PDB file of all heavy atoms in Angstrom:
ATOM      1  N   ARG A 209     162.885  92.051  53.344  1.00 97.00           N
ATOM      2  CA  ARG A 209     161.939  92.994  52.756  1.00 97.00           C
ATOM      3  C   ARG A 209     162.666  94.328  52.581  1.00 97.00           C
ATOM      4  O   ARG A 209     163.086  94.947  53.557  1.00 97.00           O
ATOM      5  CB  ARG A 209     160.731  93.155  53.664  1.00 97.00           C
ATOM      6  CG  ARG A 209     159.951  91.864  53.914  1.00 97.00           C
ATOM      7  CD  ARG A 209     159.023  92.011  55.095  1.00 97.00           C
ATOM      8  NE  ARG A 209     159.767  92.355  56.310  1.00 97.00           N
ATOM      9  CZ  ARG A 209     159.202  92.849  57.411  1.00 97.00           C
ATOM     10  NH1 ARG A 209     157.900  93.073  57.452  1.00 97.00           N
ATOM     11  NH2 ARG A 209     159.942  93.124  58.462  1.00 97.00           N
ATOM     12  N   VAL A 211     162.625  98.157  51.123  1.00 97.00           N
ATOM     13  CA  VAL A 211     161.826  99.294  50.668  1.00 97.00           C
ATOM     14  C   VAL A 211     162.737 100.247  49.906  1.00 97.00           C
ATOM     15  O   VAL A 211     163.775 100.672  50.420  1.00 97.00           O
ATOM     16  CB  VAL A 211     161.163 100.025  51.850  1.00 97.00           C
ATOM     17  CG1 VAL A 211     160.501 101.313  51.371  1.00 97.00           C
ATOM     18  CG2 VAL A 211     160.131  99.118  52.521  1.00 97.00           C
ATOM     19  N   THR A 266     157.202 109.620  55.532  1.00 92.00           N
ATOM     20  CA  THR A 266     157.195 108.489  54.603  1.00 92.00           C
ATOM     21  C   THR A 266     158.054 107.348  55.132  1.00 92.00           C
ATOM     22  O   THR A 266     157.661 106.179  55.080  1.00 92.00           O
ATOM     23  CB  THR A 266     157.698 108.930  53.214  1.00 92.00           C
ATOM     24  OG1 THR A 266     156.882 110.004  52.737  1.00 92.00           O
ATOM     25  CG2 THR A 266     157.643 107.776  52.229  1.00 92.00           C
ATOM     26  N   ILE A 267     159.217 107.679  55.638  1.00 91.00           N
ATOM     27  CA  ILE A 267     160.096 106.640  56.189  1.00 91.00           C
ATOM     28  C   ILE A 267     159.426 105.940  57.363  1.00 91.00           C
ATOM     29  O   ILE A 267     159.459 104.711  57.485  1.00 91.00           O
ATOM     30  CB  ILE A 267     161.452 107.244  56.611  1.00 91.00           C
ATOM     31  CG1 ILE A 267     162.262 107.635  55.367  1.00 91.00           C
ATOM     32  CG2 ILE A 267     162.244 106.269  57.478  1.00 91.00           C
ATOM     33  CD1 ILE A 267     163.571 108.328  55.673  1.00 91.00           C
ATOM     34  N   GLU A 268     158.773 106.725  58.223  1.00 90.00           N
ATOM     35  CA  GLU A 268     158.070 106.136  59.372  1.00 90.00           C
ATOM     36  C   GLU A 268     156.994 105.159  58.885  1.00 90.00           C
ATOM     37  O   GLU A 268     156.836 104.066  59.439  1.00 90.00           O
ATOM     38  CB  GLU A 268     157.450 107.246  60.216  1.00 90.00           C
ATOM     39  CG  GLU A 268     156.359 106.787  61.182  1.00 90.00           C
ATOM     40  CD  GLU A 268     156.835 105.838  62.261  1.00 90.00           C
ATOM     41  OE1 GLU A 268     158.064 105.621  62.376  1.00 90.00           O
ATOM     42  OE2 GLU A 268     155.977 105.295  62.978  1.00 90.00           O
ATOM     43  N   ASP A 269     156.261 105.527  57.855  1.00 92.00           N
ATOM     44  CA  ASP A 269     155.216 104.654  57.328  1.00 92.00           C
ATOM     45  C   ASP A 269     155.793 103.337  56.804  1.00 92.00           C
ATOM     46  O   ASP A 269     155.145 102.288  56.880  1.00 92.00           O
ATOM     47  CB  ASP A 269     154.456 105.349  56.191  1.00 92.00           C
ATOM     48  CG  ASP A 269     153.551 106.460  56.696  1.00 92.00           C
ATOM     49  OD1 ASP A 269     153.255 106.479  57.908  1.00 92.00           O
ATOM     50  OD2 ASP A 269     153.162 107.316  55.877  1.00 92.00           O
ATOM     51  N   GLN A 270     157.004 103.400  56.263  1.00 94.00           N
ATOM     52  CA  GLN A 270     157.587 102.225  55.613  1.00 94.00           C
ATOM     53  C   GLN A 270     158.328 101.302  56.579  1.00 94.00           C
ATOM     54  O   GLN A 270     158.577 100.133  56.246  1.00 94.00           O
ATOM     55  CB  GLN A 270     158.551 102.667  54.500  1.00 94.00           C
ATOM     56  CG  GLN A 270     157.896 103.429  53.370  1.00 94.00           C
ATOM     57  CD  GLN A 270     156.787 102.631  52.712  1.00 94.00           C
ATOM     58  OE1 GLN A 270     156.921 101.432  52.470  1.00 94.00           O
ATOM     59  NE2 GLN A 270     155.664 103.299  52.435  1.00 94.00           N
ATOM     60  N   LEU A 271     158.668 101.788  57.765  1.00 93.00           N
ATOM     61  CA  LEU A 271     159.459 100.987  58.694  1.00 93.00           C
ATOM     62  C   LEU A 271     158.774  99.689  59.073  1.00 93.00           C
ATOM     63  O   LEU A 271     159.432  98.672  59.329  1.00 93.00           O
ATOM     64  CB  LEU A 271     159.785 101.796  59.959  1.00 93.00           C
ATOM     65  CG  LEU A 271     160.898 102.833  59.833  1.00 93.00           C
ATOM     66  CD1 LEU A 271     161.008 103.649  61.114  1.00 93.00           C
ATOM     67  CD2 LEU A 271     162.223 102.161  59.503  1.00 93.00           C
ATOM     68  N   ILE A 272     157.457  99.690  59.106  1.00 94.00           N
ATOM     69  CA  ILE A 272     156.733  98.507  59.558  1.00 94.00           C
ATOM     70  C   ILE A 272     156.942  97.316  58.630  1.00 94.00           C
ATOM     71  O   ILE A 272     156.818  96.157  59.038  1.00 94.00           O
ATOM     72  CB  ILE A 272     155.226  98.825  59.688  1.00 94.00           C
ATOM     73  CG1 ILE A 272     154.513  97.714  60.467  1.00 94.00           C
ATOM     74  CG2 ILE A 272     154.589  99.048  58.323  1.00 94.00           C
ATOM     75  CD1 ILE A 272     153.093  98.047  60.851  1.00 94.00           C
ATOM     76  N   ARG A 273     157.287  97.564  57.365  1.00 96.00           N
ATOM     77  CA  ARG A 273     157.453  96.451  56.426  1.00 96.00           C
ATOM     78  C   ARG A 273     158.874  96.363  55.868  1.00 96.00           C
ATOM     79  O   ARG A 273     159.095  95.726  54.837  1.00 96.00           O
ATOM     80  CB  ARG A 273     156.459  96.587  55.276  1.00 96.00           C
ATOM     81  CG  ARG A 273     156.632  97.819  54.405  1.00 96.00           C
ATOM     82  CD  ARG A 273     155.656  97.779  53.236  1.00 96.00           C
ATOM     83  NE  ARG A 273     155.800  98.931  52.344  1.00 96.00           N
ATOM     84  CZ  ARG A 273     155.115  99.088  51.221  1.00 96.00           C
ATOM     85  NH1 ARG A 273     154.252  98.150  50.850  1.00 96.00           N
ATOM     86  NH2 ARG A 273     155.280 100.151  50.460  1.00 96.00           N
ATOM     87  N   ALA A 274     159.835  96.966  56.538  1.00 97.00           N
ATOM     88  CA  ALA A 274     161.192  97.017  55.997  1.00 97.00           C
ATOM     89  C   ALA A 274     162.188  96.279  56.888  1.00 97.00           C
ATOM     90  O   ALA A 274     162.235  96.501  58.093  1.00 97.00           O
ATOM     91  CB  ALA A 274     161.635  98.466  55.814  1.00 97.00           C
ATOM     92  N   ASP A 275     162.965  95.391  56.275  1.00 97.00           N
ATOM     93  CA  ASP A 275     164.173  94.875  56.909  1.00 97.00           C
ATOM     94  C   ASP A 275     165.374  95.721  56.492  1.00 97.00           C
ATOM     95  O   ASP A 275     166.407  95.712  57.154  1.00 97.00           O
ATOM     96  CB  ASP A 275     164.422  93.422  56.487  1.00 97.00           C
ATOM     97  CG  ASP A 275     163.319  92.496  56.963  1.00 97.00           C
ATOM     98  OD1 ASP A 275     162.995  92.537  58.170  1.00 97.00           O
ATOM     99  OD2 ASP A 275     162.772  91.739  56.135  1.00 97.00           O
ATOM    100  N   LEU A 277     166.047  99.662  54.310  1.00 97.00           N
ATOM    101  CA  LEU A 277     165.562 100.819  53.556  1.00 97.00           C
ATOM    102  C   LEU A 277     166.659 101.295  52.616  1.00 97.00           C
ATOM    103  O   LEU A 277     167.837 101.383  53.010  1.00 97.00           O
ATOM    104  CB  LEU A 277     165.193 101.957  54.501  1.00 97.00           C
ATOM    105  CG  LEU A 277     163.794 101.924  55.136  1.00 97.00           C
ATOM    106  CD1 LEU A 277     163.754 102.837  56.346  1.00 97.00           C
ATOM    107  CD2 LEU A 277     162.740 102.361  54.124  1.00 97.00           C
ATOM    108  N   ASP A 349     163.598  99.618  65.760  1.00 90.00           N
ATOM    109  CA  ASP A 349     164.262  98.330  65.560  1.00 90.00           C
ATOM    110  C   ASP A 349     165.643  98.472  64.946  1.00 90.00           C
ATOM    111  O   ASP A 349     166.259  97.471  64.575  1.00 90.00           O
ATOM    112  CB  ASP A 349     163.397  97.430  64.665  1.00 90.00           C
ATOM    113  CG  ASP A 349     162.080  97.070  65.322  1.00 90.00           C
ATOM    114  OD1 ASP A 349     162.063  96.917  66.563  1.00 90.00           O
ATOM    115  OD2 ASP A 349     161.069  96.965  64.603  1.00 90.00           O
ATOM    116  N   THR A 351     166.529  99.627  62.036  1.00 95.00           N
ATOM    117  CA  THR A 351     166.486  99.099  60.676  1.00 95.00           C
ATOM    118  C   THR A 351     167.616  99.715  59.853  1.00 95.00           C
ATOM    119  O   THR A 351     167.763 100.935  59.816  1.00 95.00           O
ATOM    120  CB  THR A 351     165.133  99.430  60.023  1.00 95.00           C
ATOM    121  OG1 THR A 351     164.094  98.880  60.829  1.00 95.00           O
ATOM    122  CG2 THR A 351     165.049  98.855  58.618  1.00 95.00           C
TER     123      THR A 351
END
Side-chain angles (χ1 to χ4, degrees):
R209 300 164 301 164
V211 172
T266 303
I267 289 176
E268 162 64 8
D269 288 342
Q270 297 302 318
L271 283 174
I272 193 170
R273 63 175 181 176
D275 296 309
L277 276 162
D349 295 326
T351 302

